Amino acid sequence: MTKKLKTDFLSLLKNEKFIRLAKQSDDSSKLSEHLRTRYPDDADEIQNAIQFVQVNMQEQKRLAPDDFNEILSSVLFHSKSTKREKRRKLIVSYSWKAAVVFFVMAFGTLFILKEADDPIKKFAQSTSERTDRSMIVLSDGTKHLLEHDDSSIEYDSVQAEVIVRKDEKEEERIENKEVSDNRKLNQIIVPYGQKQTITLCDGSVVQLNAGSSLTFPAKFSGKNREVYLKGEGYFDVQKNEKLPFVVKTDQMDVKVLGTSFNVAAYDDENTVSTVLVEGKVEVSRKGSVFFKDKQVIAPGQGYFYNADADNAVIRSVEVENYTSWVNGVFIFREKPLSEIVKRLTKYYNCSIHIEGEKLASTQVTGKLDISGNIDDAMQYLSKTIEGRYDKSPEDIYVLRTDL
């Protein structure tokens, strides 16, 4: 089915998703043909934009920064005149090629990569180190290691401190020193094999799964309550219609007023998802020209974006299958064994090898208690596949079957 983008040449060059597709494509003509077929009304805009990106990659180093003012004027002039002139004539103009090079490559942070200037994202990326213990990064940059797994971490913005509890018993109080920056960004980093629960300053509760991190202000200010997630988290958000709660990830943003939902956005998994338990959320794709920018999902629905297929779908789901990890249970229904094992390596911080591609692709349904030890989980899983497991001297688990 063909569609209308309702976009133009310059809008495509400002779009992060489009630029990434054009730059990473091994066959630009194939990409151009695919998009031209899908969006015939925008065929010329798409083809010329792809060609310009390819030219940019070749010409980028030849551009003199002193030409900026002249180049910018050229960009604006040609943008306004695109309805009157054919793009093909512009392609042969070196000055226009240079304009695009400078505009897209040198000043991409203004448009294409504006997300990189997001302070909460920059903070998260600057403190992405991993340890074998959970870590709190405080407002002044101080790093504090937690003694226990599955602790309760509470932020008290009034007293400017962090309270850590284990099994409802207070373990310690950490001073969260004032800094000049009003945002006072903090971060919780959870390694593989652990979970942690955070109560934010507004009373919202976030349960972080293994191999995840959450970046947030010690005290919310401005028009939104914004946090940045890497990995997986279950959110129970305090309602405040005047201050929407926004969960940011690399691929999408989830905006809510007050609700319970799960977000999974692991770097090593191709699918990013949001599953709604109750309330209502609005999901926004990052850098979306080819898809609807914002979509609303209802309780019992999930939003799934697959990076490989570059496709997003909304469908009804069994919510428990996506949220049971909060209660120490991993439910899977007709999932490839390879996907199940990938999750187990996160939950237990271990290495698991599957012997043979056929076994790795085997569809498996079951329920695992992930609050126990890894050997119990491996025992159950090996029985489910009618196989067995071994453990090497290097502590690598191997799943195999004799069939």
Side-chain angles (χ1 to χ4, degrees):
M1 184 178 72
T2 61
K3 301 179 180 180
K4 175 67 178 174
L5 284 179
K6 297 180 180 179
T7 190
D8 57 27
F9 174 77
L10 195 58
S11 294
L12 288 169
L13 293 182
K14 295 178 184 178
N15 182 265
E16 180 182 355
K17 173 65 73 175
F18 178 82
I19 294 297
R20 186 165 61 248
L21 283 172
K23 288 175 64 177
Q24 295 179 352
S25 176
D26 295 329
D27 188 342
S28 60
S29 61
K30 185 176 180 180
L31 173 63
S32 177
E33 182 62 28
H34 169 72
L35 294 177
R36 284 163 56 88
T37 300
R38 188 171 185 185
Y39 306 100
D41 290 341
D42 303 283
D44 289 341
E45 305 283 350
I46 291 171
Q47 180 177 353
N48 290 318
I50 291 175
Q51 290 185 32
F52 273 124
V53 173
Q54 296 295 323
V55 169
N56 292 341
M57 296 172 68
Q58 298 172 9
E59 301 284 350
Q60 182 180 5
K61 295 182 180 180
R62 304 182 190 178
L63 184 64
D66 294 340
D67 294 332
F68 169 67
N69 290 330
E70 180 181 350
I71 284 169
L72 183 58
S73 297
S74 176
V75 170
L76 294 175
F77 170 78
H78 286 295
S79 174
K80 294 177 181 178
S81 63
T82 55
K83 300 303 181 180
R84 304 190 301 270
E85 300 183 61
K86 291 186 177 181
R87 304 296 183 197
R88 197 170 291 106
K89 293 181 181 179
L90 297 177
I91 294 176
V92 298
S93 168
Y94 176 78
S95 63
W96 179 234
K97 288 190 293 185
V100 177
V101 173
F102 196 81
F103 185 73
V104 174
M105 298 298 184
F107 286 85
T109 54
L110 295 177
F111 298 104
I112 302 167
L113 298 178
K114 64 182 179 180
E115 284 293 323
D117 286 331
D118 186 343
I120 195 168
K121 183 174 181 178
K122 291 176 86 172
F123 183 90
Q125 293 174 337
S126 68
T127 55
S128 58
E129 67 180 90
R130 295 285 179 180
T131 69
D132 58 357
R133 291 161 59 186
S134 293
M135 177 190 296
I136 301 175
V137 182
L138 299 169
S139 297
D140 62 354
T142 302
K143 298 174 182 179
H144 184 87
L145 294 175
L146 297 178
E147 292 293 331
H148 302 289
D149 173 25
D150 205 11
S151 299
S152 175
I153 305 160
E154 181 180 340
Y155 274 75
D156 186 340
S157 60
V158 176
Q159 299 297 326
E161 60 184 8
V162 181
I163 306 167
V164 181
R165 295 184 174 89
K166 177 65 177 178
D167 298 328
E168 299 185 356
K169 179 182 178 182
E170 184 175 317
E171 293 282 329
E172 56 184 330
R173 287 178 177 260
I174 309 165
E175 183 183 3
N176 203 8
K177 297 178 181 179
E178 294 286 339
V179 292
S180 57
D181 183 0
N182 290 331
R183 291 180 65 84
K184 304 172 192 171
L185 292 173
N186 286 223
Q187 188 178 47
I188 305 292
I189 302 173
V190 181
Y192 290 135
Q194 294 191 14
K195 294 189 301 181
Q196 299 292 352
T197 300
I198 305 102
T199 301
L200 302 175
C201 63
D202 67 337
S204 296
V205 178
V206 185
Q207 298 186 58
L208 280 184
N209 207 345
S212 303
S213 67
L214 187 74
T215 304
F216 52 93
K219 184 176 182 179
F220 290 117
S221 61
K223 297 180 179 180
N224 295 318
R225 294 171 288 168
E226 293 185 350
V227 302
Y228 178 79
L229 174 70
K230 282 276 193 181
E232 184 170 21
Y234 181 87
F235 294 79
D236 190 356
V237 176
Q238 287 292 314
K239 186 174 182 179
N240 186 337
E241 295 182 358
K242 295 182 179 179
L243 288 176
F245 193 97
V246 180
V247 181
K248 293 189 167 189
T249 74
D250 286 344
Q251 300 291 350
M252 65 182 183
D253 293 344
V254 182
K255 180 179 180 180
V256 303
L257 296 178
T259 189
S260 299
F261 58 99
N262 193 82
V263 177
Y266 282 108
D267 286 339
D268 63 345
E269 296 184 4
N270 292 327
T271 299
V272 180
S273 67
T274 299
V275 172
L276 183 59
V277 178
E278 60 181 30
K280 184 171 71 173
V281 302
E282 178 184 87
V283 184
S284 302
R285 281 273 306 282
K286 296 289 182 68
S288 177
V289 163
F290 300 110
F291 301 92
K292 186 176 180 181
D293 287 336
K294 299 177 181 179
Q295 293 180 282
V296 175
I297 62 174
Q301 289 185 326
Y303 176 98
F304 302 87
Y305 168 65
N306 185 283
D308 286 344
D310 194 24
N311 184 46
V313 297
I314 295 175
R315 65 172 184 265
S316 296
V317 297
E318 291 289 339
V319 171
E320 186 184 24
N321 294 352
Y322 298 88
T323 62
S324 60
W325 64 267
V326 172
N327 298 314
V329 178
F330 177 28
I331 299 176
F332 42 93
R333 300 186 189 279
E334 297 183 354
K335 293 287 186 183
L337 183 61
S338 58
E339 290 188 16
I340 297 168
V341 163
K342 180 180 284 189
R343 279 304 179 104
L344 287 181
T345 61
K346 292 180 172 67
Y347 294 149
Y348 289 103
N349 192 24
C350 65
S351 295
I352 305 174
H353 174 72
I354 304 173
E355 192 174 82
E357 293 183 5
K358 183 177 179 180
L359 181 59
S361 61
T362 300
Q363 302 286 309
V364 184
T365 296
K367 182 186 294 187
L368 278 174
D369 180 357
I370 54 175
S371 62
N373 61 58
I374 178 61
D375 290 292
D376 290 339
M378 292 298 295
Q379 183 70 27
Y380 176 86
L381 195 57
S382 61
K383 288 182 178 180
T384 302
I385 63 173
E386 297 182 351
R388 56 190 174 88
Y389 80 94
D390 299 309
K391 185 177 180 181
S392 72
E394 294 80 21
D395 290 332
I396 299 175
Y397 290 86
V398 181
L399 277 168
R400 53 170 56 95
T401 180
D402 297 326
L403 297 178

